[in-house]
Amino acid sequence: MRKYILSILFFLLSLSIFAQKKNEAYQLNIQRTTQPMEIDGIMDEPGWQEAQVATDFYMVLPMDTSSAKVRTDVKMTYDDHNLYLIAICYHALPGRYMVESLRRDFAFGKNDNFLLFMDPFDDQTNGFSFGANAAGAQWDGLMYEGGKVDLSWDNKWTSVVKNYEDKWIFEMAIPFKTIRYKKGITKWGINFSRLDLKTTEKSSWAPVPRQFPTASLAYSGILNWDQPPPAAGANVSIIPYALAGVTKNYAVDTKNTFRRDVGVDAKIAVTSSLNLDLTVNPDFSQVDVDRQVTNLDRFELFFPERRQFFIENGDLFTNFGYQNLRPFFSRRIGLGTPIHFGARLSGKLDKNWRLGVMDMQTGAVDELNLPTQNFAVVALQRRIFSRSNIGAIIINKESINYEPIADITKPRYSRYNRNVGFEYNLASSNNVWTGKAMVLKSFSPGVSGEDMVYAGNLLYAGKRWNIGAQYEYVGKNFNPEVGYVPRRGYMKLNTQIKHLFFPKGTKILSHGPTLNSTNFFNTSFRATDNENYLLYSITFRDQSVLGAWVAHDYVQIFELFDPTRSGKDSLALFSRHSWNSWGTEFISKPQSLFTYAFRTRYGGYYANGTRLNITGEIGYRFQPYVSLSVSSSYDDINLPETWGRTDFWLVGPRLDVTMTNTLFFTAFLQYNEQIKNVNVNTRLQWRYKPASDLFIVYTDNYLPAPFAVKNRALVLKLTYWWNL
């Protein structure tokens, strides 16, 4: 097994040696302006008249073989405090622009938009993204893994969008204190992206192959500074909050519980590229609630992190491993327990080295017999070759004042849990080859042996072919208490092959099959699970998508599991189950004010039963102020013996009202018949200053039958971003 991992590692290394930077010929020169700049969407300042123009964009979609038909011009300049950009986005067809709303961090594919992708270290791996849709809604995020954008990041910058009959203009100012960059570097990676839904054209300044997102930093051009960007200077931000709230638990008929809390976050720039974040008594009551899903899985479900403190440079910690093989998962910290304080040092040491150190202290919870605990994580990453890197991570969870619990009826906790891991990440210069090889080991009291993880994958992403393979071994005693590894004691082999055809002169943009095979084995290499899945998908030129699939599943049961997840009987241990199923899916074109999507699934299920699933979503927008959507899922499960028929609905209507791009109201209802709960969540957010907010959040939970309140809460929270 170790030889297998090493062979993958050396093969990946050999692919990286010959890497060269792409799109180096696309260069934009930026020079300092000495005149004041006003962010008003009007290009009348002398600084704009003197700035070089980035134009003649290239089409990425529908095809990447020609220049863009929709014209976009971009200029950039700077002064002692801010980086400025103005983009003139011309119309190619008459008619109104297409947007969802004024909601911040909008869905990329449903809005006419312009985006900036910026790589201040020119390492083609990490950076920042800023932009707006045609109505002025802002977009900002941290870039990681060479082309992904985490929109949970939020910081201070300003922008304005002005609309004209033949164009819309986006102008912005990004304070140098907002971003991280290495002092003295005069070449940054840069690219600009434009999506015009009327023509269904996506374009970029530096050309990007159609199989990759325009965010791919492997294909960025170069921003040449006339002199090194100015040092941000003393960069300290203090972000205090004050909170008042009331909660009531009707299930046990308690009195109202009142909350009065204060806390503070601080951001301190140790260098222009290394940041220290501190938090004392943080509160995350304003964070969006998790979107509920129908749970028919045998293992724990994954829900993404939404708390701001854990976001910046979070990929250093949370992206170590794979989607279902994560040694560190920040949601294990402070959900159900109070966080007293925490610190995180993260960022770039230089062009090649990245460092992340985090320490969090949680409080005791007496009713759970849970003591004060400390969580410490150290991650180090070294860039090698063009875009690849090697990384190491150490995770330590320690119970403070540990006392063994003699009473077996009380919840138990460990004295400590530690994980150590190493990985190599491949990213070829043209992004066609990507992959990973990793090893992990856990340390827990009284446990030794079979506590290792070995895994590796390799993916080829061409224009017509997409071929990948992944291998995992997880020992039965591997114990990541601060991670997300829902399954242990297995070996897994996954392969995928996808091919696309590009017909000419039709309404179809591309079509082709995808074959996916996933096989699980126990550590003696005996088959326990497998799924073979064949999908045929058609993408139309209007960006609607139609697909149909067939699948075969085989499962052997090793733990108690109710296949309805509704409190009925469990399947017999070691019983074997296999079935065939089929389904369809359709996503409508994003240009319409009315959008819809549906997915169906029908076929066999456990214990020779059947399962029907119908999932749909419809939406309508009164752009740019109101967006309505309803998602629903219906399951009908028929099983023999004691289960009989089980059916349940999951329905989630949502209302987004954006009065301005600084005043938002969201109402979200979730009716989950499977867990017998109705959840109502409403949030009013007023961004009265950049990155400073007033939140009013109201939450209700009900029993659906008989309809009765379980609990409710009202929270008022005020935050203020103060730059020293």
Side-chain angles (χ1 to χ4, degrees), residues 27 29 396 486 491 553:
Q27 302 200 11
N29 298 314
N396 183 62
M491 291 188 287
D553 289 81

Side-chain angles (χ1 to χ4, degrees), residues 19 25 49 91 215 240 269 279 295 380 384 392 434 498 508-509 550 624 671-672 700 706 717:
Q49 310 309 317
H91 297 311
T279 187
N295 183 10
L380 186 64
I384 58 176
T434 56
K498 178 179 180 179
I508 296 175
L509 175 63
V550 294
Y671 167 59
N672 191 331
D700 259 352
K717 181 177 180 180

Side-chain angles (χ1 to χ4, degrees), residues 295 297-301 484 486-487 529 559 561 565:
N295 183 10
D297 202 292
R298 289 179 293 150
F299 305 100
E300 177 190 12
L301 298 180
Y484 177 77
R487 184 169 182 164
D529 303 57
E559 296 181 358
F561 171 62
R565 284 278 191 176

Side-chain angles (χ1 to χ4, degrees), residues 217-375:
L217 295 178
Y219 292 91
S220 61
I222 295 176
L223 182 68
N224 289 313
W225 295 79
D226 59 346
Q227 54 186 294
N235 189 353
V236 178
S237 299
I238 306 297
I239 313 165
Y241 81 85
L243 178 147
V246 58
T247 61
K248 182 174 176 61
N249 189 337
Y250 289 83
V252 294
D253 196 25
T254 60
K255 294 182 179 180
N256 290 342
T257 301
F258 294 94
R259 294 180 60 194
R260 301 175 186 86
D261 283 330
V262 294
V264 64
D265 291 343
K267 291 179 175 289
I268 303 169
V270 179
T271 70
S272 61
S273 57
L274 191 64
N275 201 65
L276 175 64
D277 290 271
L278 305 172
T279 187
V280 177
N281 193 31
D283 172 83
F284 305 105
S285 58
Q286 81 284 3
V287 173
D288 282 338
V289 296
D290 289 322
R291 186 164 184 170
Q292 296 184 24
V293 296
T294 299
N295 183 10
L296 295 174
D297 202 292
R298 289 179 293 150
F299 305 100
E300 177 190 12
L301 298 180
F302 178 83
F303 293 94
E305 177 63 84
R306 300 177 184 274
R307 296 172 294 175
Q308 181 71 21
F309 180 83
F310 296 97
I311 298 303
E312 186 168 358
N313 291 311
D315 64 289
L316 270 168
F317 309 109
T318 59
N319 290 350
F320 199 102
Y322 294 105
Q323 182 176 355
N324 291 321
L325 195 53
R326 303 169 186 257
F328 178 75
F329 180 37
S330 59
R331 282 180 66 114
R332 302 292 188 209
I333 304 172
L335 287 182
T337 60
I339 296 176
H340 286 170
F341 55 84
R344 183 186 64 224
L345 179 69
S346 62
K348 288 273 194 177
L349 299 177
D350 58 27
K351 185 174 182 177
N352 294 318
W353 288 95
R354 294 180 74 206
L355 172 69
V357 180
M358 181 163 60
D359 190 87
M360 306 294 292
Q361 189 89 4
T362 62
V365 181
D366 293 337
E367 56 268 28
L368 298 177
N369 289 304
L370 192 65
T372 297
Q373 292 184 313
N374 181 266
F375 299 81

Side-chain angles (χ1 to χ4, degrees), residues 38-40 82-85 104 130-131 138 155-161 170-175 178 661 689-691:
E38 183 178 356
I39 306 304
D40 55 8
N82 298 301
L83 175 64
Y84 301 99
L85 178 146
R104 191 183 184 91
F130 297 89
Q138 290 184 330
N155 219 305
K156 294 185 74 170
W157 60 289
T158 57
S159 67
V160 167
V161 166
F170 165 62
E171 187 175 18
M172 71 172 178
I174 305 170
T178 292
N661 61 2
K689 284 189 175 182

Side-chain angles (χ1 to χ4, degrees), residues 526-664:
R526 292 185 178 180
T528 60
D529 303 57
N530 67 65
E531 181 188 52
N532 296 297
Y533 174 89
L534 176 63
L535 165 71
Y536 204 94
S537 183
I538 302 171
T539 301
F540 297 92
R541 288 188 177 270
D542 64 4
Q543 299 302 307
S544 58
V545 178
L546 173 66
W549 58 268
V550 294
H552 174 77
D553 289 81
Y554 165 78
V555 175
Q556 188 174 6
I557 300 299
F558 292 98
E559 296 181 358
L560 294 177
F561 171 62
D562 169 17
T564 68
R565 284 278 191 176
S566 59
K568 297 185 178 182
D569 285 349
S570 298
L571 295 167
L573 289 177
F574 309 111
S575 59
R576 294 177 171 86
H577 308 264
S578 64
W579 62 83
N580 299 314
S581 56
W582 63 272
T584 61
E585 57 186 34
F586 180 78
I587 302 173
S588 69
K589 61 182 182 180
Q591 306 93 304
S592 300
L593 297 178
F594 175 73
T595 57
Y596 60 95
F598 68 83
R599 288 170 293 279
T600 65
R601 183 258 186 219
Y602 182 76
Y605 199 51
Y606 294 93
N608 295 317
T610 62
R611 177 189 169 206
L612 167 69
N613 171 258
I614 302 173
T615 301
E617 182 172 343
I618 59 174
Y620 191 86
R621 59 182 186 266
F622 302 88
Q623 63 179 35
Y625 301 111
V626 179
S627 177
L628 297 167
S629 65
V630 179
S631 60
S632 63
S633 177
Y634 173 73
D635 276 274
D636 187 350
I637 299 172
N638 281 282
L639 297 173
E641 301 173 0
T642 57
W643 291 284
R645 181 185 178 191
T646 305
D647 64 328
F648 38 78
W649 284 91
L650 175 65
V651 182
R654 182 185 180 104
L655 168 67
D656 283 294
V657 181
T658 54
M659 285 73 84
T660 70
N661 61 2
T662 59
L663 185 60
F664 318 102

Side-chain angles (χ1 to χ4, degrees), residues 412-470:
R412 294 171 178 268
Y413 55 87
S414 62
R415 181 163 60 91
Y416 68 86
N417 176 253
R418 296 170 187 134
N419 277 250
V420 176
F422 300 91
E423 71 176 14
Y424 167 71
N425 290 286
L426 164 75
S428 64
S429 63
N430 58 5
N431 216 41
V432 170
W433 290 97
T434 56
K436 183 190 295 268
M438 62 176 289
V439 59
L440 296 167
K441 178 175 173 59
S442 65
F443 300 86
S444 300
V447 177
S448 63
E450 297 190 75
D451 54 5
M452 300 283 290
V453 169
Y454 306 97
N457 83 297
L458 184 64
L459 175 66
Y460 169 80
K463 188 173 296 187
R464 296 182 178 272
W465 288 97
N466 189 298
I467 304 172
Q470 181 169 323

Side-chain angles (χ1 to χ4, degrees), residues 658-678:
T658 54
M659 285 73 84
T660 70
N661 61 2
T662 59
L663 185 60
F664 318 102
F665 174 77
T666 300
F668 192 23
L669 184 146
Q670 298 183 96
Y671 167 59
N672 191 331
E673 192 174 10
Q674 186 185 32
I675 62 173
K676 298 178 175 59
N677 188 68
V678 179

